[in-house]
Amino acid sequence: MSRHNISHETIIEAPIDLVWKELIAIDDWEWNRWTRLKATEPVEGTSGKLMASYEGDDKWQEFDFTFGPVNESSHILTWQGSVAGGCLFSGYHTMQLESVKEGQTKLIHKEQFGGLLPMIGAGLPYKTLNRNYLLMNESLKDNVEKKAKNKT
């Protein structure tokens, strides 16, 4: 376990199915200025390119990734990446939804880091990533809540 692991929870005032629909639509993550997933579809085992913009300014760095479990019934979207088989660096990203009550969803957003680089605090701007994951949560929340409001 790395001291740089990230975990944020956000309550979204929208039904879980609506939140899931927005989360799984990786080709339409216009709400997300910090991360883009370029892949044919979000299916376990599918590989792609993760685009990271640390400042949300359209300056992107590219990383290889592979989807882990993606499951509509448990509302989980995961992906992972590594360098040198994980000895140097690994990251396991999870976005999971839980229904709190009717019309309200909890987004649990985590990343677990492993390998030598996170252990010594090198390889990525971990504080910036921590901030960005919270900003991603808030941006998804705003996007989905506006859509939910327009449906009523």
Side-chain angles (χ1 to χ4, degrees):
M1 181 177 274
S2 168
R3 66 179 185 211
H4 300 292
N5 289 347
I6 296 169
S7 182
H8 292 289
E9 294 184 4
T10 301
I11 300 296
I12 301 172
E13 300 297 331
I16 194 168
D17 291 336
L18 180 59
V19 181
W20 176 253
K21 181 180 172 186
E22 292 297 311
L23 183 61
I24 203 71
I26 61 169
D27 290 338
D28 192 25
W29 272 15
E30 293 303 316
W31 54 267
N32 189 343
R33 297 187 351 233
W34 306 274
T35 302
R36 298 285 165 81
L37 301 177
K38 304 293 183 188
T40 54
E41 58 183 328
V43 172
E44 186 170 0
T46 300
S47 294
K49 298 291 182 186
L50 181 144
M51 309 300 288
S53 177
Y54 298 116
E55 298 306 320
D57 58 3
D58 283 332
K59 294 179 183 171
W60 301 95
Q61 286 190 3
E62 186 175 291
F63 301 92
D64 293 328
F65 82 94
T66 302
F67 283 109
V70 178
N71 188 297
E72 183 174 3
S73 62
S74 59
H75 299 100
I76 189 166
L77 172 66
T78 67
W79 62 87
Q80 58 207 2
S82 65
V83 175
C87 294
L88 196 55
F89 174 85
S90 66
Y92 189 81
H93 200 113
T94 304
M95 296 179 87
Q96 186 163 17
L97 306 176
E98 292 179 359
S99 183
V100 177
K101 61 183 181 181
E102 188 174 337
Q104 192 177 70
T105 303
K106 181 192 299 184
L107 167 60
I108 304 159
H109 189 176
K110 297 180 180 184
E111 180 132 16
Q112 294 182 313
F113 296 104
L116 178 63
L117 292 176
M119 188 169 60
I120 63 172
L124 288 173
Y126 299 101
K127 287 181 182 178
T128 300
L129 286 176
N130 188 31
R131 175 201 71 194
N132 289 356
Y133 290 6
L134 181 57
L135 290 171
M136 285 169 60
N137 282 22
E138 292 171 355
S139 185
L140 177 62
K141 172 185 171 71
D142 290 345
N143 182 60
V144 174
E145 286 179 354
K146 285 178 188 167
K147 288 186 177 190
K149 195 174 198 179
N150 289 339
K151 286 188 174 203
T152 58

